[in-house]
């Protein structure tokens, strides 16, 4: 309430003959005014609100708005105008939700729904609207069970109707909301003990998304279903859903969706130990990311490819993709990537080092001596973008692992020592 509004309200009771002159607060003045106008139900509601939420009495702007809507609701109720009654209660619910009085918001959303059920002239359209807001409120409160109940009811009421809500066909909106709740419910269930229930809910989500006709909702359900099957170790089913997700993304021309599908397929094939197919999809993802200039995706994909090559023992290609990742300007100093790169580089050099040891010839031993003296000799021909100390640390860390059995290494070293004159002295 502005200063002018406050002073105007106070002046209404300045008359000395008016008994209301003894009331000193705006809250008391408003309550008396409501009674004077004959709105006893509105008075009782406002009085109870102030008893349970005393802070409302300290904010005049709250009081004026609440008083106006309560009086409007009571007036409409007396006339049997249930549409205006419902609208007044709905406005109060939204107002309380906006001000974070969620218990009051819930109360007036419920009241507006009850009032909407008494409207007989609109073929249940207002009822659908109040159910929609109740479902959304329950969703925000993370009460997915009740949200699901409301959205299932909304879907039933709006089916076959040409009503629009928020610029969208109401039935389509109901399907989108219900599908979203199904997905959220799945994530709350225990994947170890409730597998069949999860799959049943996902199937309902899939059918609901198809019924609503939203390509985006359908794609989301398909992708999540693939993820769930992957988490259960059912990789063939996961790959089937990821392929379906890819096809819809391709039809829609959605590059981000295509990238997401490639990544999911690559990881699924990797989990299935099909390294060839995993690398194929990782490389497709990399091409797509480079084409769309998505540096973040390029960086992450290069790291995944490099890690996969490293795990397969192909250290040269692993190093190549780590280099490619670090060549992106925004990620040159990424510590995790540099560490992985150093380890891959150490693995690559250790392979050369071990080969030189078991080669049993003077050339190989001199190569080892060069490495120990000048840190050169086990690099590929191209330039390495690494700090020398970082290279040495990575090599020494990897070298801690006993790649060559001691009983094989000792005789080779003895033979080499006897064959090279410089080592005899």
């Amino acid at each position: 309430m502005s200063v002018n509004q406050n002073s105007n309200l106070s002046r209404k009771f300045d008359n000395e003959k008016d008994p209301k002159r003894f009331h000193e607060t705006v809250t008391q003045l408003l309550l008396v005014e409501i009674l004077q106008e004959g709105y006893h139900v509105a008075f009782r509601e406002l009085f109870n609100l102030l008893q349970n939420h005393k802070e409302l009495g300290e904010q005049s702007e709250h009081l004026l708005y609440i008083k106006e809507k309560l009086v409007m609701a009571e007036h409409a109720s007396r006339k049997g105008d249930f549409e205006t009654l419902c609208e007044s209660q709905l406005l109060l619910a939204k107002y309380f939700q906006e001000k974070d009085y969620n218990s009051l918001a819930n109360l007036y959303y419920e009241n507006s729904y009850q009032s909407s059920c008494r409207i007989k002239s609109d073929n249940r359209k207002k009822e659908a609207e109040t159910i929609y807001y109740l479902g959304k409120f329950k969703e925000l409160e993370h009460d997915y069970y009740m949200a699901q109940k409301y959205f299932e009811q909304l879907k039933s009421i709006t089916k076959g109707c040409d009503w629009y809500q928020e610029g969208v066909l109401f039935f389509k909106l109901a399907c989108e909301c219900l599908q979203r709740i199904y997905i959220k419910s799945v994530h709350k269930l225990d994947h170890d003990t409730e597998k069949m229930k999860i799959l049943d809910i996902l199937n309902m989500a899939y059918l609901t998304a198809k019924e609503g006709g939203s390509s985006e909702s359908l794609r989301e359900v398909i992708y999540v279903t693939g993820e769930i099957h992957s988490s259960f170790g059912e990789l063939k089913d996961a790959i089937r859903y990821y392929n379906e997700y890819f096809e819809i993304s391709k039809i829609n021309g959605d590059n981000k969706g295509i990238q997401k599908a490639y990544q999911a397929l690559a990881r699924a094939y990797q989990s299935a130990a099909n390294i060839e197919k995993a690398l194929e999809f990782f490389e497709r993802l990399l091409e797509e990311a480079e084409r769309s200039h998505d540096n973040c995706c390029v960086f992450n994909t290069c790291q995944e490819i490099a890690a996969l090559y490293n795990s397969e023992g192909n250290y040269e290609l692993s190093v190549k993709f780590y280099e490619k990742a670090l060549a992106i300007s925004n990620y040159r100093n990424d510590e995790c990537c540099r560490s992985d790169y150093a380890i891959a580089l150490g693995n690559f050099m250790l392979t050369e080092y071990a080969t030189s040891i078991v080669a049993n010839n003077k050339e190989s031993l001199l190569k080892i001596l060069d490495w120990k003296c000048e840190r050169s000799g086990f690099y590929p021909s191209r330039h390495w973008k690494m700090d020398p100390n970082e290279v040495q640390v990575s090599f020494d860390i990897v070298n801690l692992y006993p790649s060559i059995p001691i009983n094989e290494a000792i005789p080779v070293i003895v033979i080499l020592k006897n064959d090279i004159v410089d080592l005899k002295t």
Side-chain angles (χ1 to χ4, degrees), residues 86 90 109 112-114 116-117 125-135 150 170:
C86 174
L90 195 55
Y109 276 130
S112 67
Y113 168 65
Q114 295 299 329
S116 71
C117 293
K125 183 177 181 181
K126 197 66 178 179
E127 182 183 347
E129 183 183 346
T130 57
I131 291 171
Y132 170 67
Y133 285 115
L134 257 174
Y150 283 123
F170 218 156

Side-chain angles (χ1 to χ4, degrees), residues 67-325:
K67 179 251 182 183
E68 176 190 339
K69 299 307 173 191
L70 288 175
V71 167
M72 185 186 299
E74 184 174 352
H75 184 71
S77 179
R78 289 176 182 178
K79 293 171 58 179
D81 183 0
F82 298 118
E83 189 168 348
T84 302
L85 172 61
C86 174
E87 186 62 28
S88 301
Q89 293 166 332
L90 195 55
L91 288 171
L92 277 171
K94 292 178 181 178
Y95 184 78
F96 284 127
Q97 183 179 352
E98 181 185 335
K99 301 299 181 183
D100 291 326
Y101 289 93
N102 288 338
S103 61
L104 294 178
N106 184 69
L107 171 66
Y108 282 98
Y109 276 130
E110 295 274 2
N111 289 346
S112 67
Y113 168 65
Q114 295 299 329
S115 298
S116 71
C117 293
R118 302 173 71 181
I119 300 172
K120 305 299 181 184
S121 59
D122 68 346
N123 199 26
R124 303 181 74 186
K125 183 177 181 181
K126 197 66 178 179
E127 182 183 347
E129 183 183 346
T130 57
I131 291 171
Y132 170 67
Y133 285 115
L134 257 174
K136 285 185 67 178
F137 180 76
K138 294 298 183 183
E139 182 180 359
L140 288 172
E141 293 284 285
H142 304 289
D143 186 352
Y144 299 140
Y145 175 79
M146 286 306 301
Q148 178 181 328
K149 294 295 182 186
Y150 283 123
F151 287 138
E152 284 175 343
Q153 187 179 355
L154 178 64
K155 176 173 172 279
S156 175
I157 292 173
T158 57
K159 188 172 185 179
C161 298
D162 59 354
W163 304 331
Y164 280 79
Q165 179 74 11
E166 299 177 359
V168 180
L169 189 66
F170 218 156
F171 177 70
K172 181 179 180 181
L173 187 61
C175 289
E176 289 176 1
C177 291
L178 184 56
Q179 167 262 321
R180 185 174 65 245
I181 291 299
Y182 284 144
I183 296 300
K184 289 183 177 181
S185 299
V186 161
H187 290 309
K188 289 188 70 176
L189 295 174
D190 187 337
H191 287 210
D192 293 328
T193 60
E194 299 181 280
K195 177 180 175 181
M196 294 311 299
K197 186 175 181 180
I198 288 171
L199 294 178
D200 286 343
I201 293 174
L202 285 173
N203 185 55
M204 288 191 293
Y206 182 84
L207 294 174
T208 300
K210 271 206 160 185
E211 196 173 1
S214 169
S215 174
E216 187 57 39
S217 295
L218 185 60
R219 277 202 310 161
E220 182 186 1
V221 174
I222 290 169
Y223 185 82
V224 171
T225 305
E227 283 190 316
I228 296 297
H229 279 292
S230 182
S231 71
F232 290 148
E234 298 168 351
L235 297 172
K236 286 185 179 180
D237 290 325
I239 289 168
R240 176 166 57 85
Y241 280 105
Y242 290 146
N243 275 319
E244 189 175 352
Y245 178 87
F246 166 74
E247 292 299 331
I248 297 174
S249 298
K250 187 177 178 181
I251 291 170
N252 292 347
D254 181 3
N255 291 332
K256 287 290 183 183
I258 291 171
Q259 289 180 25
K260 192 174 178 179
Y262 283 154
Q263 183 182 62
L265 284 163
R267 289 175 177 175
Y269 278 117
Q270 185 176 355
S271 297
N274 190 336
I275 303 304
E276 184 179 348
K277 291 292 286 185
L279 286 170
E280 176 189 334
F281 281 103
F282 273 132
E283 285 168 6
R284 284 193 196 181
L285 172 59
L286 183 57
E287 289 175 9
E288 191 67 35
E290 288 175 332
R291 185 161 46 248
S292 58
H293 305 289
D294 186 346
N295 285 343
C296 180
C297 186
V298 170
F299 175 75
N300 291 328
T301 306
C302 283
Q303 284 197 98
E304 293 204 66
I305 295 173
L308 187 52
Y309 275 127
N310 193 60
S311 68
E312 291 297 299
N314 194 333
Y315 304 122
E316 185 171 7
L317 283 177
S318 176
V319 167
K320 172 187 172 183
F321 279 98
Y322 278 127
E323 279 191 319
K324 189 169 184 175

